Amino acid sequence: ELVVSVVAMSKSKKNVVFPDELIAQYGADTERLYTLFMGPPEKEIEWSEEGVRGCYRFLHRFWRVAISIIERTSGTAEEPDPQNFGAKEWEIWGKLHATIKKVTEEFEGRLALNTAVAAIMELVNALSQYMEDPKADVRLLRRALRDTILLLSPFTPFICEELWHRLGEGKAILETPWPAYDPKALEGGEVEIPVQINGKLRARLHVPRSLAKDQKALEELVLQSPVVREKLGGMRVIRVIAVPEKLVSVVAK
């Protein structure tokens, strides 16, 4: 259990802040989240009211995303099927399992919980964007939200227990097993790779994730792509800069 007793800032600067006033204004979940998001517990960190407000805004956003998904997936009980995933689905599936892996490892190892919180925030951002797609897989939406609530629950137990209840899960969160990540989810699927030619975006290729992680393989795949070769229009390739899983820039003349 994570116990937050004091928002302990820099003692040397004599700016220690007690949590009562923060809880009264922003709620206990915000106070807990900010305390754990500030940084490693062994370091002195100067308190920031803007940081508190940022955590407060994040929880409000998470609530809106969660409620929207709960309403959209009402009556959905089936698990998502990765065999039917498109590129967007694989991106969310991989992000979900990478986040589970990250948060689990932080709890079991270094306890750098600020990085665990940051990973969950990134997952919520990705989920928020994906749910805007009218063709989004409702089974994936529900599963991703379910696991995200579990991941966030040690940090913000009150909001997560309420959302867990609204999601329709029978047991309480504390009676539910921690989610496990699937190593295959970290490798499978496709990644959209923007391709620039002489600084201008000329193509977007969907590349198998296993190849997108390999710089040389990514370079070769892009140069062999019919779309890229057409855009080159006979120009001679001078240099290729490949950033795995991010982008490929081709310099040609």
Side-chain angles (χ1 to χ4, degrees):
E1 180 182 357
L2 301 177
V3 180
V4 179
S5 58
V6 177
V7 182
M9 311 304 158
S10 174
K11 293 182 180 179
S12 62
K13 296 181 181 180
K14 299 181 180 180
N15 66 343
V16 175
V17 178
F18 290 90
D20 294 4
E21 57 189 88
L22 297 180
I23 293 174
Q25 184 173 0
Y26 297 104
D29 276 344
T30 296
E31 193 270 349
R32 287 170 63 97
L33 186 65
Y34 175 63
T35 301
L36 296 166
F37 185 52
M38 287 188 300
E42 68 274 10
K43 292 186 178 181
E44 292 187 347
I45 301 171
E46 189 170 356
W47 179 81
S48 165
E49 187 167 351
E50 178 55 35
V52 177
R53 288 195 292 265
C55 289
Y56 184 72
R57 289 193 296 269
F58 165 73
L59 289 180
H60 271 261
R61 184 185 185 197
F62 177 57
W63 177 271
R64 292 193 298 270
V65 169
I67 292 299
S68 178
I69 292 176
I70 289 170
E71 292 175 349
R72 185 169 174 180
T73 62
S74 177
T76 301
E78 296 180 7
E79 285 291 306
D81 183 4
Q83 293 185 354
N84 295 324
F85 283 173
K88 291 182 179 180
E89 285 71 33
W90 269 113
E91 183 177 353
I92 293 297
W93 189 243
K95 186 75 171 177
L96 172 63
H97 285 268
T99 306
I100 294 173
K101 181 176 185 291
K102 172 66 176 176
V103 177
T104 302
E105 289 176 347
E106 292 303 341
F107 274 119
E108 294 177 343
R110 298 185 305 131
L111 284 178
L113 300 182
N114 57 312
T115 63
V117 172
I120 296 172
M121 289 179 171
E122 291 180 5
L123 174 60
V124 171
N125 288 339
L127 195 54
S128 175
Q129 294 175 11
Y130 176 64
M131 76 174 191
E132 297 298 326
D133 185 348
K135 297 181 180 179
D137 187 326
V138 292
R139 296 173 299 175
L140 176 58
L141 282 172
R142 190 186 189 284
R143 170 64 183 276
L145 174 62
R146 180 186 186 277
D147 287 353
T148 303
I149 292 173
L150 288 173
L151 293 177
L152 192 58
S153 64
F155 305 96
T156 59
F158 300 106
I159 185 176
C160 287
E161 193 66 58
E162 177 63 25
L163 289 173
W164 188 254
H165 173 74
R166 295 192 182 208
L167 188 61
E169 295 292 329
K171 296 181 179 179
I173 286 180
L174 290 177
E175 298 175 329
T176 304
W178 186 255
Y181 71 89
D182 181 359
K184 294 181 180 179
L186 306 180
E187 299 295 334
E190 295 180 329
V191 179
E192 185 179 78
I193 301 294
V195 179
Q196 297 178 347
I197 298 177
N198 293 334
K200 294 184 178 181
L201 180 64
R202 295 301 188 185
R204 293 182 182 273
L205 303 182
H206 289 96
V207 179
R209 189 178 296 273
S210 57
L211 295 180
K213 290 183 175 183
D214 186 311
Q215 182 177 353
K216 290 296 183 181
L218 182 57
E219 290 179 5
E220 293 177 4
L221 187 147
V222 167
L223 291 179
Q224 293 173 5
S225 165
V227 175
V228 174
R229 293 168 71 173
E230 179 184 350
K231 297 296 183 181
L232 284 170
M235 291 190 293
R236 181 167 60 91
V237 174
I238 304 299
R239 187 181 181 190
V240 180
I241 303 171
V243 182
E245 297 187 89
K246 297 295 183 181
L247 65 88
V248 173
S249 179
V250 179
V251 179
K253 68 176 183 179

